[in-house]
């Protein structure tokens, strides 16, 4: 059995099926009992009324005419035939004087009525109902009758002549017809039970389509999801709990899909990162190895050559150091652990420092480095060292990608509560389709030229991280062959003036 498969009796449809049938059987049993009782009661009620009616009519006739009158005999026979009862007439002593069952049974050929034959003339009846009726009361009784060996309905009506009890009319009706009816009802209920089972089965099948199908489909999709396949979608059309479950499952699938995709991207980035770092480390390390080995083997012949080797080794060490520093910075930025030593920063001062540091390099390459800083600039709330790092990075890049005769300019503007700093150059520019990627770590536009200025492609990623940590924004505009402008905006510290 696969995961998610269920046995019929454990399945929802199976459980429903059983419940339906148990329910139907209980209801039908109950109905059967209630109907039998109701029918019997109803029949008894009707029949006894009729018997008492007929009895009363006969008693009235008998009160007027003596029993020897042939009309009385005919009347008794007639009545016995259509009330479906045996009629016995007794005198005040309880002696049977006439009996419709004596030698003539008419229509009342029911089983158990043979006992009627015992009611012959001259037999003395001494039952409870006889004693009771001879006291002048109308008696109605239902129950098993000893003499007839069957369940009978008995009605006894006294014959009252001139205020005296002159005898009684006894009517015995069998309960057979109602027993037959009850039997029929029970049979009908049995058929209904069979029908209920059929209906339950059909209903379960219909419900299986409605309930189980989507559930089974969801089950399959959940199993697919566990295997990493998120293509399956459950139909969400029903408005009930199953529809809600379907919607949740689809949502879950969607979210898991996004998450797995994100995880894949992260994993890919991590691998790419390790590859990039190894690549960046390899070149300086092979330089270091090569030149130290050359020194060890006393390869350089002159002192000048020797010091040249040492300065290469020194440069490469610095380069490695920068790389490691950058990686650490980047790590802190990406982990959100970049600690800013915030304080009021005077941007004009900072720019002066940066210009003084990079001026020699600019002059060396025939590049004009200029700063346009207005008076009375507001202070910036930030980390002076980190902001200097940003400026040095941007200006170094500008110097890096410009040539002799070009201009690199730093320009600051106060823009309504925010300070805008532009670092622009008239250098080579960046191709438009590469612009969105320059912020990514290790991204270099001209992959072939990386060694020249020692760029690793980490600088702009760090710059962006630092500006973001200050609550600022940075953007870039560039025209290939015309130059590049980096613009960043920083929130100002407060209403204080420059140098305050
Ligand atoms: P790198 O250390 O290589 O300079 P950055 O992250 O600072 O790395 O810059 C990423 C890339 O963006 C550089 O390799 C360079 O191709 C391009 N770039 C950055 N600044 C400029 C600029 N001022 N002019 C032209 N290209 C630039």
């Amino acid at each position: 059995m696969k995961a998610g498969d269920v046995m019929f009796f454990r399945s929802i449809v199976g459980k429903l099926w059983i419940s339906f049938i148990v329910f139907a059987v209980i209801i039908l049993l109950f109905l059967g009992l209630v109907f039998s009782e109701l029918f019997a009661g109803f029949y008894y009620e009707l029949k006894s009324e009729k018997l008492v009616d007929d009895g009363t009519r006969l008693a009235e006739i008998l009160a007027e005419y003596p029993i020897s009158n042939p009309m009385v005999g005919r009347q008794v026979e007639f009545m016995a035939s259509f009330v479906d009862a045996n009629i016995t007439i007794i005198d005040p002593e309880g002696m049977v004087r006439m009996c419709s069952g004596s030698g003539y049974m008419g229509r009342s050929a029911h089983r158990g009525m043979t006992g009627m034959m015992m009611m012959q003339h001259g037999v003395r009846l001494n039952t409870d109902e006889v004693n009771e009726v001879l006291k002048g009361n109308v008696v109605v009784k239902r129950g098993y009758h000893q003499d007839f060996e069957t369940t009978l309905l008995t009605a006894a009506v006294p014959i009252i002549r001139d205020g005296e009890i002159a005898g009684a009319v006894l009517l015995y009706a069998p309960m057979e017809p109602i027993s037959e009816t009850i039997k029929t009802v029970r049979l009908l209920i049995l058929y209904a039970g069979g029908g209920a089972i059929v209906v339950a089965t059909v209903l379960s099948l219909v419900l299986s389509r409605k309930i189980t199908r989507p559930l089974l489909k969801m089950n399959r999709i959940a199993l697919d999801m566990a295997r990493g396949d998120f293509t399956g979608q459950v139909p969400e059309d029903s408005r009930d709990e199953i529809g809600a479950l379907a919607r949740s499952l689809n949502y879950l699938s969607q979210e898991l899909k996004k998450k797995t995709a994100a995880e894949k991207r992260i994993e890919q980035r991590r691998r790419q990162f390790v590859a990039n770092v190894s690549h960046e480390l390899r070149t300086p390390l092979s330089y270091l190895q090569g030149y130290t080995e050359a020194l060890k083997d006393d390869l350089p012949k002159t002192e000048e050559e020797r010091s040249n080797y040492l300065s290469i080794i020194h440069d490469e060490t610095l380069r490695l150091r920068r790389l490691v520093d950058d990686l650490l910075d980047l790590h802190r930025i990406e982990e959100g652990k970049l600690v800013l030593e915030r304080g009021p920063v005077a941007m004009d001062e900072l720019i002066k420092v940066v210009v003084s540091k990079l001026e020699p390099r600019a002059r060396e390459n025939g590049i004009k480095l200029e700063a346009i800083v207005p008076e009375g600039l507001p202070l910036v709330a930030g980390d002076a060292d980190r902001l200097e790092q940003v400026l040095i990075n941007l200006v170094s890049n500008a110097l890096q990608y410009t040539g002799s005769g070009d201009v690199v300019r730093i320009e600051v503007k106060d823009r309504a509560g925010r300070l805008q700093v532009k670092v622009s150059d008239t250098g080579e520019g960046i191709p438009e389709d590469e612009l969105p990627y320059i912020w990514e770590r290790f991204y270099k536009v001209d992959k072939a030229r990386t060694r020249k200025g020692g760029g690793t492609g980490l600088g702009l990623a760090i710059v962006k991280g630092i500006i973001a940590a200050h609550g600022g924004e940075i953007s870039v505009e560039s025209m290939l062959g015309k130059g590049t402008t980096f613009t960043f905006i920083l929130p100002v510290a407060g209403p204080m003036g420059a140098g305050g």
Side-chain angles (χ1 to χ4, degrees), residues 397-398 401 425 429-430 438 443-445 455-460 484 486:
N397 273 351
Y401 303 105
D425 65 64
I430 304 166
I438 59 168
Y443 193 85
K444 296 164 196 170
V445 174
T456 54
L458 293 176
L460 286 179
T484 308
F486 284 91

Side-chain angles (χ1 to χ4, degrees), residues 264-280:
K264 266 191 200 141
R265 266 202 307 281
I266 288 171
E267 177 60 20
Q268 204 178 331
R269 262 175 72 100
R270 198 187 60 78
R271 278 192 200 161
Q272 188 65 46
F273 181 74
V274 172
N276 283 332
V277 171
S278 316
H279 179 77
E280 290 298 332

Side-chain angles (χ1 to χ4, degrees), residues 66 174 205 311 373:
L205 285 178
S311 83
V373 184

Side-chain angles (χ1 to χ4, degrees), residues 8-22:
F8 177 74
F9 288 106
R10 297 249 170 97
S11 71
I12 290 180
V13 177
K15 283 178 182 162
L16 271 176
W17 189 73
I18 299 260
S19 311
F20 273 143
I21 286 174
V22 168

Side-chain angles (χ1 to χ4, degrees), residues 135-197:
K135 282 180 197 156
N137 299 322
V138 173
V139 182
V140 178
K141 210 184 121 193
R142 174 167 62 153
Y144 187 79
H145 207 289
Q146 214 71 56
D147 295 333
F148 302 107
E149 292 169 351
T150 181
T151 305
L152 288 179
L153 186 60
T154 309
V157 182
I159 305 166
I160 299 171
R161 191 181 293 143
D162 303 329
E164 283 193 19
I165 295 165
V169 179
L170 304 177
L171 292 99
Y172 298 100
M175 291 296 278
E176 295 266 307
I178 188 61
S179 307
E180 286 295 319
T181 311
I182 289 170
K183 254 187 228 154
T184 314
V185 167
R186 285 187 182 152
L187 205 66
L188 276 179
I189 284 171
L190 206 69
Y191 290 154
I197 291 175

Side-chain angles (χ1 to χ4, degrees), residues 136-327:
N137 299 322
V138 173
V139 182
V140 178
K141 210 184 121 193
R142 174 167 62 153
Y144 187 79
H145 207 289
Q146 214 71 56
D147 295 333
F148 302 107
E149 292 169 351
T150 181
T151 305
L152 288 179
L153 186 60
T154 309
V157 182
I159 305 166
I160 299 171
R161 191 181 293 143
D162 303 329
E164 283 193 19
I165 295 165
V169 179
L170 304 177
L171 292 99
Y172 298 100
M175 291 296 278
E176 295 266 307
I178 188 61
S179 307
E180 286 295 319
T181 311
I182 289 170
K183 254 187 228 154
T184 314
V185 167
R186 285 187 182 152
L187 205 66
L188 276 179
I189 284 171
L190 206 69
Y191 290 154
I197 291 175
V198 173
V199 170
T201 309
V202 171
L203 263 182
S204 333
L205 285 178
V206 170
L207 280 175
S208 121
R209 280 173 170 271
K210 276 246 159 229
I211 298 175
T212 321
R213 263 215 196 150
L215 284 182
L216 287 177
K217 176 129 203 237
M218 284 185 229
N219 187 41
R220 211 165 40 243
I221 281 169
L223 292 174
D224 284 349
M225 264 156 60
R227 279 195 303 271
D229 172 6
F230 302 105
T231 48
Q233 277 272 328
V234 199
E236 297 179 0
D237 40 8
S238 83
R239 293 248 137 250
D240 54 16
E241 293 89 333
I242 290 180
L245 181 59
R247 280 189 288 282
S248 302
L249 194 74
N250 285 341
Y251 178 65
L252 175 69
S253 156
Q254 220 174 294
E255 291 300 298
L256 273 179
K257 190 177 176 177
K258 274 192 220 153
K259 234 185 125 186
T260 352
E263 269 164 17
K264 266 191 200 141
R265 266 202 307 281
I266 288 171
E267 177 60 20
Q268 204 178 331
R269 262 175 72 100
R270 198 187 60 78
R271 278 192 200 161
Q272 188 65 46
F273 181 74
V274 172
N276 283 332
V277 171
S278 316
H279 179 77
E280 290 298 332
L281 284 173
R282 181 175 288 141
T283 326
L285 282 176
S286 50
Y287 272 77
L288 285 176
Q289 187 185 358
Y291 284 94
T292 43
E293 274 171 11
L295 282 175
K296 227 177 89 188
D297 295 349
D298 264 338
L299 237 55
K301 294 294 166 234
T302 63
E303 198 48 43
E304 200 198 331
E305 228 181 325
R306 198 178 182 79
S307 101
N308 195 21
Y309 276 29
L310 277 173
S311 83
I312 291 173
I313 290 173
H314 186 242
D315 282 354
E316 291 304 322
T317 319
L318 285 182
R319 197 183 148 83
L320 273 179
R321 170 146 204 149
R322 270 202 313 277
L323 176 65
V324 172
D325 284 348
D326 281 357
L327 284 173

